[in-house]
Amino acid sequence: MNFHTAVEQIVANKNNQVIELPSGWAQGRAFFGGFSAALAAQFLLKQFPIEYHLRSMSISFVAPAEPGEAELSYRILREGKSVIQVAVELQQQGQIMLSCLASLGKARSSTVKVASETPPDLKTIKDGPGLPETDIVPEFAKNFDYRITSGGMPFSGQPGRTFGGWIRFREEQQQLTTATILALVDAWPPAVLPHLDSPAPASSLTWTIEFPDIPLKSFSSHDWFQYEAFIEHAEHGYGHSRAGLWSEQGELLAISRQTFTVFA
């Protein structure tokens, strides 16, 4: 089952749903966290009118999910005139795997308008290598094409504060969605991995991601997108980074912040 087929399992007007997490998306021994978050986002967006744009998600990866049956549920915490605050959970066998707080909001007229941050100079797709075809690359990453043009290759012993480049879905050519953006952002490994000179486990602990209200109809999941993460602090096995995802034309599509763990 590919990414978009799995996302299409989710139906509208049902606040508790059982879905299937497909195989072929492993992240170590667990299911790819970005895929779980994408399913939670799609689940939310199916339950509310289209004018409620998903503004922000704060995600906790409580426990590693695995392929197979999973249950999505939500509850409204508060519903105002233009903003809805919602809690979402993904469970397996009665245990919470992912917990999320989300804010959905209608557009309002405003005198405030500030242009979004432009992407850094990430060179071109021809200027960086992809991930190597080795056993240390997670199974899920083989569903994406990468070009690393900022920072070093993971486990190359090249310290620096930035890490990123270009990314797209390798084969799937569907209209870009918020769920797709979540997968593209989390497909990048923690920005600290180039600091290491040998393989070691690392994973997201918490993740906050925000979505500017940009029309997505003109984009495909097979388009190239620009990504760069900046390490703000890392010590004692934990790190903190911020990142952005931009279209090839420089439109800001997501603002991301992660707390990650590294076992080295």
Side-chain angles (χ1 to χ4, degrees), residues 26-29 131-142 146 153-156 189 193 196-202:
Q27 184 174 12
R29 293 178 294 174
L131 291 180
E133 297 289 335
T134 67
D135 291 341
I136 65 169
V137 175
E139 181 184 41
F140 82 85
K142 297 173 184 177
Y146 300 81
M153 190 72 68
F155 312 125
S156 61
L193 290 194
L196 306 180
D197 55 15
S198 61

Side-chain angles (χ1 to χ4, degrees), residues 76-151:
I76 295 174
L77 302 178
R78 185 177 187 275
E79 185 169 357
K81 291 182 179 180
S82 58
V83 174
I84 303 174
Q85 306 277 6
V86 188
V88 188
E89 290 181 352
L90 184 145
Q91 297 190 32
Q92 285 187 315
Q93 299 176 354
Q95 301 295 315
I96 297 172
M97 304 290 115
L98 177 145
S99 178
C100 169
L101 296 177
S103 299
L104 301 98
K106 294 179 181 179
R108 297 193 301 263
S109 60
S110 174
T111 58
V112 178
K113 185 174 182 179
V114 180
S116 59
E117 187 177 16
T118 58
D121 181 9
L122 293 174
K123 303 178 184 178
T124 74
I125 297 158
K126 297 179 181 179
D127 292 321
L131 291 180
E133 297 289 335
T134 67
D135 291 341
I136 65 169
V137 175
E139 181 184 41
F140 82 85
K142 297 173 184 177
N143 294 288
F144 300 92
D145 282 327
Y146 300 81
R147 297 292 184 270
I148 297 173
T149 60
S150 173

Side-chain angles (χ1 to χ4, degrees), residues 233-254:
H233 181 80
E235 192 176 18
H236 304 308
Y238 298 88
H240 310 272
S241 65
R242 66 175 187 266
L245 185 81
W246 295 265
S247 71
E248 190 169 1
Q249 295 75 31
E251 295 159 290
L252 181 64
L253 301 176

Side-chain angles (χ1 to χ4, degrees), residues 1 6 9 19-25 31-32 35-36 39 65-72 90-92 97:
M1 188 187 300
Q9 298 176 87
I19 60 169
E20 186 77 13
L21 304 187
S23 58
W25 293 86
F31 186 70
F32 169 38
F35 203 154
S36 297
L39 290 165
E66 58 186 29
E69 191 173 278
E71 182 179 354
L72 283 163
L90 184 145
Q91 297 190 32
Q92 285 187 315
M97 304 290 115

